[in-house]
Each structure stands twice: as structure tokens, then as C-alpha cells.
């Protein structure tokens, strides 16, 4: 058995101030940070005590890597013999020295570029440093109108094998993207339309609740972040009796960390070995990035 765990604790603070994000420049109290650190330590202890295979993705509301307890947790988890992958969503704002303590064969980073918060050159330099250190990573952006040229410029600067994924702008009106813009964005991310126009989910087969679970700071287990019904608790083991194949109960799922686990969509195949960190299968990563870079260079 292999279990993938999506962990989202109490952390909600972020050092960035993106206009489209509800957590921009929010602050956790010291008490909240202490509680988050204690919750995280408990979770890491649980993971260390397991004997079956694990993969873990941290999906904090805020920025986790600016907090020492997340960096330390990732380092410890990466050295567990039964852990296949530990990954975290991050804006990649922190330095790289902490990576010296991590087993980089098991680490992956899901990195988001925010043009209003950091220069492209600085962000790309960090990505190249990850490459130099051998750290698996994907890069992504929110595809806002004002950033379309920036998306193409970023694709051209990133190493060809670095996958660049795109999320549709959440607050868009119905006609926000025209056909030409969608074609531009699909040149960068061939899976963009799955995020832009989510397929109906109700009744669709999904691995969440079977081999994928969501866990909060209290250890409450749900099948995913987007289904409220509890399956039990991680720490008393009550969730395990409820793991089984099941269909999605929601009308639609418009977030990658949800729909990527649907077996009727291509992500389990196209992202084999990298679903949690949003990295296409090895051949796909280089081919997608290289083809997009070539087309953009030719257009210029």
C-alpha cells in the first residue's frame, strides 16, 4: 500500500502581497505559529512511525518555507526510508542553504512565480540553483491578462526541462480569455484547459479517499481539501477503515490538487511519478518545455 497525504495546517501568513490572493500579507500570531509547529511535529512523528510507503505534499494557505519548522520537517521526512516523496507549494523566496540537510532524491518543490513580488531574473536564478542542486521542481503562474507576455518570457528563460504550469485566474468573468489567448496559454501548458474549463466531477472516479487523503493540523482526515465529510482521525487510526474507492461528490473540481487524482483524466498517466509536485513524466517534462520554448523563440 502507498498513501499520498495532502497536509494543510494552521499556517495562513504569507510574505507576499499578490492582489488576487486572500492571504496576501496576512500575519499569524506567535501563539498560532507555535501551535502550527507543534501540530507539524506531531504529523512528522506519525509519518516516521509508519511502515507502508508515503508521499506527502504540504499545501499551506500561506508560505511555509519562511518558517523554520517546515524546513526542518521536510528535511526529517526526506530521510525516512519508506517515504517516496515530500513536496511543498512555495513562492521560492527563501535561500537554499536549508537544502543541504535534505535528501534531494526525495524532495520536490511546486514553485509559483508572482511577477508583482519578485523580478523574473531573480526567480529564474533561484530555479537554476535548484537545477544545480538536483532538486525536482515545477514552476507555475496565474494566467492573468497583464501577465501573458511575462508567462512567455518566463518560459523562454527557464531551462527547457522545467515544466511550467498555468492556473486560470479565479476571479475572471465568463469571457475573460479569448480563443487566441487560450491557444497561447496551451502552447505553454498543454493541460491548461483542464483548469480553465473543469470537467463535471459528480460521480467521477477519484483516488482521494482511497490512496490519497487530506489532513489538517488536528489530524482530521478527509478524502481531499474540497470534500468536508470526515473519514476519521490520523492519530487514532480511525480513518484507515474508511479508505476505499469512491466517486467524487462535488459538481466540479477546479483545483489541480483535486482533479489530478481523477482516474478518468490524463494526469495519473501524464504526470506519472510526479502527480503531487505537478511534474509531468520525465519525457513529457522536457518535451513540453522544449517545444514551447522553440515556438516562442521562433515567434520572436
Amino acid at each position: 500500500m502507498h498513501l499520498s497525504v495532502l497536509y494543510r495546517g494552521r499556517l495562513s501568513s504569507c510574505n507576499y502581497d499578490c492582489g488576487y490572493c486572500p492571504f496576501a500579507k496576512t500575519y499569524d500570531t506567535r501563539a498560532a505559529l507555535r501551535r502550527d509547529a507543534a501540530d507539524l511535529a506531531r504529523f512528522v512523528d506519525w509519518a516516521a512511525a509508519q511502515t507502508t510507503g508515503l508521499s506527502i505534499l504540504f499545501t499551506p494557505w500561506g508560505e511555509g518555507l519562511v518558517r523554520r519548522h517546515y524546513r526542518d520537517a521536510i528535511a526529517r521526512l526526506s530521510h525516512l526510508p519508506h517515504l517516496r516523496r515530500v513536496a511543498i507549494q512555495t513562492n521560492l523566496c527563501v535561500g537554499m542553504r536549508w537544502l543541504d540537510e535534505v535528501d534531494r532524491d526525495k524532495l520536490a518543490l511546486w514553485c509559483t512565480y508572482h511577477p508583482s513580488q519578485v523580478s523574473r531574473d531573480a526567480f529564474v536564478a533561484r530555479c537554476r540553483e535548484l537545477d544545480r542542486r538536483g532538486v525536482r521542481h515545477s514552476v507555475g503562474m496565474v494566467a492573468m491578462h497583464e501577465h501573458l507576455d511575462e508567462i512567455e518570457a518566463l518560459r523562454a528563460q527557464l531551462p527547457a526541462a522545467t515544466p511550467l504550469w498555468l492556473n486560470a485566474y479565479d476571479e475572471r468573468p465568463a469571457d475573460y480569455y479569448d480563443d487566441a489567448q487560450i491557444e497561447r496559454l496551451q502552447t505553454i501548458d498543454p493541460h491548461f484547459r483542464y483548469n480553465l474549463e473543469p470537467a463535471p466531477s459528480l460521480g467521477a472516479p477519484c483516488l482521494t479517499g482511497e490512496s490519497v487523503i487530506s489532513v489538517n493540523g488536528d489530524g482530521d482526515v478527509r478524502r481531499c481539501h474540497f470534500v468536508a465529510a470526515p473519514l476519521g482521525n490520523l492519530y487514532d487510526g480511525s480513518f484507515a477503515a474508511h479508505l476505499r474507492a469512491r466517486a467524487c461528490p462535488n459538481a466540479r473540481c477546479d483545483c489541480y490538487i483535486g482533479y489530478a487524482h481523477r482516474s478518468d483524466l490524463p494526469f495519473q498517466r501524464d504526470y506519472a511519478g510526479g502527480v503531487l509536485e505537478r511534474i509531468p513524466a520525465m519525457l513529457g517534462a522536457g518535451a513540453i518545455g522544449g517545444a514551447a520554448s522553440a515556438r516562442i523563440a521562433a515567434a520572436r
Side-chain angles (χ1 to χ4, degrees), residues 8 18 30 37 45 56 60 83 104 113-114 131 191 195 206-207 220 230 234 239 242 245 267-268 273 278 295:
R8 177 173 286 166
C18 304
R30 289 185 179 181
D45 286 343
I56 296 167
L83 186 121
R104 280 164 272 175
Y113 171 49
H114 303 281
D131 264 352
H191 295 93
N195 193 269
C206 186
L207 295 174
D220 297 324
L234 192 72
F239 77 98
H242 300 284
F267 296 94
Q268 293 295 311
R278 209 167 180 172
R295 284 193 289 271

Side-chain angles (χ1 to χ4, degrees), residues 201-206 208 223-224 226-229 246-252:
S201 292
L202 185 62
C206 186
T208 62
R223 58 179 302 184
C224 78
F226 315 109
V227 178
R246 62 190 80 208
C248 181
N250 295 338
R252 71 171 198 160

Side-chain angles (χ1 to χ4, degrees), residues 110 195 254-261 267 271 274-276 278-279:
W110 163 324
N195 193 269
D254 61 1
C255 182
Y256 172 85
I257 57 176
Y259 62 67
H261 303 292
F267 296 94
Y271 287 67
V275 171
L276 289 188
R278 209 167 180 172
I279 295 178

Side-chain angles (χ1 to χ4, degrees), residues 165-213:
W165 49 263
L166 301 171
N167 283 346
Y169 175 43
D170 278 345
E171 303 302 319
R172 66 188 183 276
D175 58 350
Y176 186 73
Y177 300 104
D178 61 31
D179 290 344
Q181 290 168 334
I182 292 172
E183 184 176 352
R184 285 177 69 184
L185 294 168
Q186 284 193 283
T187 297
I188 304 295
D189 179 1
H191 295 93
F192 173 68
R193 197 177 285 273
Y194 288 97
N195 193 269
L196 175 65
E197 300 169 350
S201 292
L202 185 62
C206 186
L207 295 174
T208 62
E210 180 183 6
S211 59
V212 181
I213 59 172

Side-chain angles (χ1 to χ4, degrees), residues 86-298:
V86 58
I88 189 170
Q89 297 172 336
T90 177
N91 60 29
L92 202 58
C93 64
V94 299
M96 303 288 179
R97 190 171 300 175
W98 69 282
L99 294 170
D100 295 340
E101 308 301 320
V102 180
D103 181 346
R104 280 164 272 175
D105 289 337
K106 296 183 179 181
L107 173 67
L109 299 179
W110 163 324
C111 310
T112 307
Y113 171 49
H114 303 281
S116 66
Q117 307 298 304
V118 62
S119 73
R120 186 188 338 128
D121 286 346
F123 183 84
V124 170
R126 294 169 190 169
C127 293
R128 292 189 179 278
E129 178 63 11
L130 292 179
D131 264 352
R132 190 188 70 80
R133 289 172 174 265
V135 176
R136 283 170 59 87
H137 62 286
S138 66
V139 170
M141 288 182 65
V142 176
M144 300 181 72
H145 279 173
E146 57 265 39
H147 295 155
L148 295 185
D149 290 343
E150 187 66 19
I151 288 168
E152 292 180 337
L154 177 65
R155 176 65 277 170
Q157 274 191 245
L158 286 172
T162 300
L164 177 56
W165 49 263
L166 301 171
N167 283 346
Y169 175 43
D170 278 345
E171 303 302 319
R172 66 188 183 276
D175 58 350
Y176 186 73
Y177 300 104
D178 61 31
D179 290 344
Q181 290 168 334
I182 292 172
E183 184 176 352
R184 285 177 69 184
L185 294 168
Q186 284 193 283
T187 297
I188 304 295
D189 179 1
H191 295 93
F192 173 68
R193 197 177 285 273
Y194 288 97
N195 193 269
L196 175 65
E197 300 169 350
S201 292
L202 185 62
C206 186
L207 295 174
T208 62
E210 180 183 6
S211 59
V212 181
I213 59 172
S214 167
V215 178
N216 68 14
D218 292 324
D220 297 324
V221 176
R222 294 173 174 80
R223 58 179 302 184
C224 78
H225 290 333
F226 315 109
V227 178
L231 299 180
N233 191 271
L234 192 72
Y235 302 121
D236 64 13
S238 57
F239 77 98
H242 300 284
L243 296 180
R244 58 177 174 81
R246 62 190 80 208
C248 181
N250 295 338
R252 71 171 198 160
C253 181
D254 61 1
C255 182
Y256 172 85
I257 57 176
Y259 62 67
H261 303 292
R262 282 178 51 176
S263 55
D264 61 332
L265 297 181
F267 296 94
Q268 293 295 311
R269 179 196 68 220
D270 293 356
Y271 287 67
V275 171
L276 289 188
E277 58 265 37
R278 209 167 180 172
I279 295 178
M282 291 303 292
L283 290 177
I288 290 170
S293 294
R295 284 193 289 271
I296 293 164

Side-chain angles (χ1 to χ4, degrees), residues 30-49:
R30 289 185 179 181
L33 290 173
R34 285 195 297 269
R35 179 65 184 275
D36 186 61
D39 290 343
L40 182 56
R42 186 186 186 194
F43 173 72
V44 174
D45 286 343
W46 172 86

Side-chain angles (χ1 to χ4, degrees), residues 5 7 36-50 54 56 58 69-80 82-83 86 215 217 234-235:
V5 183
Y7 181 92
D36 186 61
D39 290 343
L40 182 56
R42 186 186 186 194
F43 173 72
V44 174
D45 286 343
W46 172 86
Q50 303 311 296
L54 288 175
I56 296 167
F58 292 106
H69 56 277
Y70 279 90
R71 301 193 300 272
D72 288 348
I74 289 169
R76 183 182 172 197
L77 287 167
S78 74
H79 292 286
L80 298 179
H82 55 283
L83 186 121
V86 58
V215 178
L234 192 72
Y235 302 121

